[in-house]
Amino acid sequence: MVTDKNGNRYFQNIHSQNSNLGSNMVRHILFDARGRMWVATGFGLYMRENPRKGDFYSFFYNPDNPNSLSYNDVIHILQDSDKELWFGTLGGGLNQLQIMNDSVAKFKRFNSSNGLSNDVVLAILEDNNGKLWISTENGLNRYNKTTGTIEVFNTNNGLSFNMFMESTCLKCQNGTMLFGGYKGIEALN
């Protein structure tokens, strides 16, 4: 909701026809520690320095650039306790923002070829020990940022189900993490 100079309140709709946002299918929004607005969409990742005005920087998959975003359909965004940004995609795995200078970004990619259980990353949370938990269409993954290792959890080692749903995650105040899926909620602590 926005308030005009006369004190009137109204809703502002930001879309591809009134801005340079390239897709109206918005999947997730995050405001980072610097106040930038990140928008995950069905076609690309967008960032605006000032959430209320200005152009969006856009980030897309480029098959000729191994440091580009790994896939254009971005589902979930997380900023971890180290202020690092992570992006889950609907087919390209997980992306970590390494460097960003103006409109040029470098991403590190994590996918099934280097340890993830599936390339459809649906949600991301950080536990109280700084490890990332990544839900997919085929289990949960725990990524240790210190060692660079990924551990896979599925029905073979304790989960009730393997297929999770888009952006259905919550970290409770006591540290318990909840991930939603097609058979309910998995709670981890």
Side-chain angles (χ1 to χ4, degrees), residues 13-55:
N13 183 303
I14 301 167
H15 50 81
S16 61
Q17 287 75 39
N18 69 3
S19 74
N20 67 326
L21 187 64
S23 174
N24 289 331
M25 184 192 298
V26 174
R27 295 186 175 279
H28 199 237
I29 302 168
L30 178 126
F31 291 89
D32 69 15
R34 293 176 47 189
R36 300 176 297 190
M37 180 172 63
W38 292 88
V39 182
T41 77
F43 186 67
L45 174 67
Y46 298 85
M47 186 275 295
R48 192 153 81 170
E49 294 282 349
N50 182 332
R52 292 183 179 255
K53 61 182 177 181
D55 285 337

Side-chain angles (χ1 to χ4, degrees), residues 27-178:
R27 295 186 175 279
H28 199 237
I29 302 168
L30 178 126
F31 291 89
D32 69 15
R34 293 176 47 189
R36 300 176 297 190
M37 180 172 63
W38 292 88
V39 182
T41 77
F43 186 67
L45 174 67
Y46 298 85
M47 186 275 295
R48 192 153 81 170
E49 294 282 349
N50 182 332
R52 292 183 179 255
K53 61 182 177 181
D55 285 337
F56 285 95
Y57 292 111
S58 56
F59 308 96
F60 299 102
Y61 169 66
N62 178 348
D64 298 325
N65 180 358
N67 297 314
S68 73
L69 193 65
S70 66
Y71 202 75
N72 283 330
D73 197 342
V74 183
I75 295 177
H76 196 86
I77 308 169
L78 172 81
Q79 182 169 43
D80 67 19
S81 58
D82 295 322
K83 309 273 188 284
E84 295 184 35
L85 289 163
W86 301 84
F87 307 93
T89 69
L90 189 68
L94 181 68
N95 293 259
Q96 177 191 20
L97 180 64
Q98 297 280 289
I99 298 169
M100 191 172 107
N101 294 318
D102 295 324
S103 64
V104 179
K106 177 181 175 184
F107 296 91
K108 182 176 181 181
R109 300 173 180 177
F110 302 85
N111 55 41
S112 57
S113 68
N114 57 13
L116 278 183
S117 62
N118 190 272
D119 289 338
V120 177
V121 172
L122 298 164
I124 315 157
L125 288 176
E126 181 180 24
D127 67 20
N128 289 343
N129 297 316
K131 293 181 177 68
L132 297 184
W133 289 81
I134 303 143
S135 68
T136 72
E137 284 189 342
N138 189 26
L140 277 173
N141 300 259
R142 180 172 58 188
Y143 176 64
N144 185 323
K145 296 184 293 183
T146 305
T147 64
T149 57
I150 297 172
E151 187 175 1
V152 176
F153 297 89
N154 54 37
T155 55
N156 295 327
N157 60 359
L159 287 184
S160 302
F161 55 87
N162 288 333
M163 189 167 176
F164 291 86
M165 303 305 279
E166 186 175 318
S167 293
T168 54
C169 63
L170 175 71
K171 183 176 177 184
C172 302
Q173 288 182 348
N174 67 1
T176 298
M177 294 179 296
L178 307 173

